[in-house]
Amino acid sequence: MLNRGLAYRCYCTAEELEEERRRAAREHRPPRYSGRCRELSADDVRRFEREGRRPAIRFRVPDRDVTIVDALRGEIRFRAIDQDDFIIRRSDETVSFLLAGALDDADMRVTHVLRGDDHLPNTPRQAMLLQALDRGLPAFAHLGLVLDADHRPLSKRDGAATLADLRDAAYLPDAVRAALAHLGWSPPRDTGGDVAALAFRFRLEAVSGSSCVWDAARLEHENARALRALTADALAALCRDRGWIPPALEEPWRRALAAVQPELKFLAEIPHLVAPLLPGDVNVENEAREHLSGADVATALRVFAEEMENGRGFSDAVKIVKTKSGLTGRRLFQTAARRADRPDERDRDGRIGENFGAAGDGAARRARINAFPARTSIR
RNA sequence: GUCCCCAUCGUCUAGUGGUUAGGACACCGGGCUUUCAAUCCGGAAACACGGGUUCAAUUCCCGUUGGGGACGCCA
């Protein structure tokens, strides 16, 4: 490029360039390289070399406007006057991003360059380089940047700045993919969280050119959906990978997972949800205690115990308690569950753990709910 | 300061020179579940502003405002 006059050596030091920029700012001019090394005399060069300066190499920007085509925005025109001669090789002889990136893409036969629109100003420069080197241009598409709720660039604080953050938070990969697909684009019809369907419907040209706001609620929705879509084996495998399932409790765990799966939102909440369904002691949590305070509860508990002793089924006993105590809804069931804590007072519907019914028909779920409504306190 | 990009419900978006401006997430209400969740039904919710062009602008043009980005021997 030097031989062909496409580029030239620049002997300016970092300090000199910095000073140039400062002066420009003071005089309210745009900070541009002046081009002072464009036409150095042989004497100048000798002098600089004698001073021990190592030259950088700058691209001699042609004096004509550049029009690039962006797949999302159409033609964008950049004025020649706004472009200064940029460095393509540093004084330590390493090649700059602008040249290396453009050339590497060309060598790799990259057809589409998709990047954040913070790269838009680089595009005319890379286009000029490629044209000067008689290389073809790839298609460019510059996507809007993703912002947080305050319209600031996404940061660590948002907990979603990187894929690693999302993985650490145990979001399912498909949920992340689905949520990402909804940035700057949305499917013509809801795909039910099916990532393959999203991919099938996706069109680059349909992506919005504006920046968009990261929506954690969307991710949670997709995650809950993906969790529900998991097969029993897949769900169990995830739990096993996390070391949650003791070998001895494999079967109870699987039944409990089946009961709990329809309401899952996060992987991490599984141990919490499943615990009451496994054999062992049941603790009534704080919120449950609140619901259990008061005189009518005492009555209810007594009535419930009596009915159970008389051989009533759980459901029948609950109905009678309801009539006699006036309790309804949550308080009624908290009360019933209180008694159901006692293994000897559980009946077919109310029993906990290894005995409750098969999943899928709602029986297991109902059994769990009847047995442990206190889980309403978890959320 | 200079240049570039962008602008429809809270969020992601669909859409058209004449529409009841559509969907999804979130939200609110109801049904079902004797609680919760899921699900079903319903509701509230938007064309940033000002000029043009036009019989007619959310839609086309210009400007303003607002948001974002870039101005390094970083990538």
Side-chain angles (χ1 to χ4, degrees):
Chain A
M1 290 178 77
L2 283 172
N3 293 340
R4 291 168 58 193
L6 297 171
Y8 59 92
R9 293 187 175 81
C10 171
Y11 289 87
C12 299
T13 64
E15 296 74 47
E16 287 168 345
L17 295 171
E18 180 56 33
E19 173 52 31
E20 211 175 58
R21 276 193 290 273
R22 263 201 302 272
R23 194 179 327 124
R26 235 180 292 122
E27 296 166 12
H28 301 292
R29 287 180 294 107
R32 300 269 145 67
Y33 173 64
S34 63
R36 71 217 285 214
C37 293
R38 261 196 171 207
E39 315 292 348
L40 288 179
S41 68
D43 283 350
D44 291 333
V45 171
R46 259 196 302 281
R47 203 183 71 240
F48 286 139
E49 293 283 353
R50 217 179 304 121
E51 287 176 18
R53 297 194 186 202
R54 309 303 309 159
I57 297 178
R58 287 183 184 270
F59 180 63
R60 194 185 297 274
V61 170
D63 183 25
R64 36 167 211 276
D65 297 351
V66 194
T67 300
I68 61 147
V69 179
D70 182 277
L72 313 183
R73 304 156 207 270
E75 294 190 351
I76 303 171
R77 183 193 181 97
F78 294 86
R79 303 263 166 206
I81 191 148
D82 295 319
Q83 305 290 334
D84 58 0
D85 294 343
F86 52 93
I87 285 174
I88 54 179
R89 198 186 75 173
R90 306 181 190 95
S91 53
D92 66 1
E93 303 194 352
T94 58
V95 176
S96 80
F97 158 79
L98 253 13
L99 212 213
L103 226 39
D104 191 47
D105 287 348
D107 286 346
M108 300 280 283
R109 303 206 195 290
V110 167
T111 58
H112 291 70
V113 173
L114 310 187
R115 34 156 59 160
D117 69 10
D118 50 336
H119 278 290
L120 214 33
N122 289 330
T123 308
R125 301 175 142 195
Q126 295 192 307
M128 287 188 292
L129 283 171
L130 290 170
Q131 277 162 4
L133 295 168
D134 289 319
R135 308 295 295 257
L137 293 185
F140 289 99
H142 292 88
L143 296 317
L145 265 20
V146 181
L147 311 175
D148 68 16
D150 299 326
H151 285 208
R152 306 295 316 160
L154 224 42
S155 69
K156 267 273 174 261
R157 181 172 57 86
D158 303 299
T162 67
L163 286 176
D165 291 337
L166 298 175
R167 190 190 53 222
D168 291 348
Y171 288 106
L172 297 185
D174 273 357
V176 174
R177 291 187 184 102
L180 251 22
H182 281 272
L183 287 176
W185 182 77
S186 66
R189 288 201 314 279
D190 189 35
T191 64
D194 182 347
V195 171
L198 283 175
F200 181 74
R201 300 215 165 104
F202 182 81
R203 287 185 313 118
L204 179 60
E205 315 78 59
V207 174
S208 161
S210 49
S211 47
C212 51
V213 174
W214 172 251
D215 184 8
R218 173 81 63 175
L219 208 217
E220 287 174 18
H221 171 255
E222 297 295 348
N223 197 56
R225 207 183 215 182
L227 242 16
R228 267 179 263 133
L230 250 26
T231 63
D233 285 342
L235 183 58
L238 286 172
C239 294
R240 217 176 295 112
D241 291 347
R242 270 150 236 274
W244 290 340
I245 308 184
L249 291 180
E250 181 82 21
E251 268 317 299
W253 255 88
R254 293 191 69 110
R255 283 197 298 270
L257 283 174
V260 133
Q261 185 173 12
E263 65 192 88
L264 285 180
K265 279 198 158 89
F266 300 101
L267 210 45
E269 71 183 344
I270 287 179
H272 230 102
L273 294 178
V274 158
L277 305 183
L278 300 173
D281 291 340
V282 172
N283 296 316
V284 177
E285 300 185 10
N286 290 339
E287 187 181 330
R289 288 187 196 288
E290 283 174 31
H291 286 290
L292 291 175
S293 63
D296 50 352
V297 173
T299 308
L301 283 170
R302 202 188 63 245
V303 171
F304 187 77
E306 285 167 11
E307 294 305 323
M308 293 290 282
E309 277 159 26
N310 293 340
R312 293 274 182 210
F314 183 91
S315 298
D316 289 339
V318 168
K319 279 182 190 133
I320 290 167
V321 169
K322 184 184 183 186
T323 319
K324 291 196 178 177
S325 69
L327 285 178
T328 56
R330 190 176 291 180
R331 301 192 81 204
L332 171 64
F333 274 81
Q334 303 284 11
T335 304
R338 181 79 175 174
R339 300 304 300 195
D341 282 359
R342 308 273 300 278
D344 54 334
E345 291 177 3
R346 294 174 194 155
D347 77 347
R348 278 192 49 212
D349 285 343
R351 68 197 161 191
I352 306 175
E354 71 267 47
N355 291 325
F356 70 75
D361 60 359
R365 180 172 172 65
R366 206 163 54 245
R368 180 184 69 76
I369 290 166
N370 287 345
F372 195 71
R375 101 121 201 90
T376 50
S377 66
I378 289 169
R379 196 153 287 136

